[in-house]
Amino acid sequence: MFTDDETARGCPACGVLATRVKECALTSPRDLCAGGEPITLLWHKRRWVCRERLCSRGSFTEQTPRSAPGCGRPGD
């Protein structure tokens, strides 16, 4: 299952919404817990191609505000 949130395909560098998938990646966000116990989550993410010619990013993996790097760390 992939991310339903349409904003997850927005390029983090320029904000343009991607329309073409480059590849799929399997990731495992760190520092997650449930009920005080560490858990492992496997996320099938899409790597998108940024369609903005002037964007230096080129491609990126989808993310949402709740899955941004570091969001699962204590104190965030």
Side-chain angles (χ1 to χ4, degrees):
M1 180 186 280
F2 293 104
T3 307
D4 289 347
D5 188 346
E6 288 292 313
T7 63
R9 61 186 179 95
C11 177
C14 70
V16 172
L17 292 181
T19 57
R20 190 176 66 142
V21 174
K22 180 177 182 179
E23 62 188 2
C24 294
L26 182 63
T27 64
S28 181
R30 293 175 284 173
D31 304 325
L32 298 177
C33 65
E37 296 295 319
I39 62 169
T40 299
L41 173 73
L42 298 177
W43 182 6
H44 294 269
K45 296 175 85 170
R46 290 173 281 210
R47 177 170 292 281
W48 294 94
V49 176
C50 183
R51 62 187 177 134
E52 174 55 53
R53 287 182 337 165
L54 300 176
C55 182
S56 61
R57 187 76 180 235
S59 69
F60 58 93
T61 57
E62 58 194 3
Q63 67 181 28
T64 63
R66 293 184 56 119
S67 68
C71 72
R73 294 192 180 103
D76 288 350

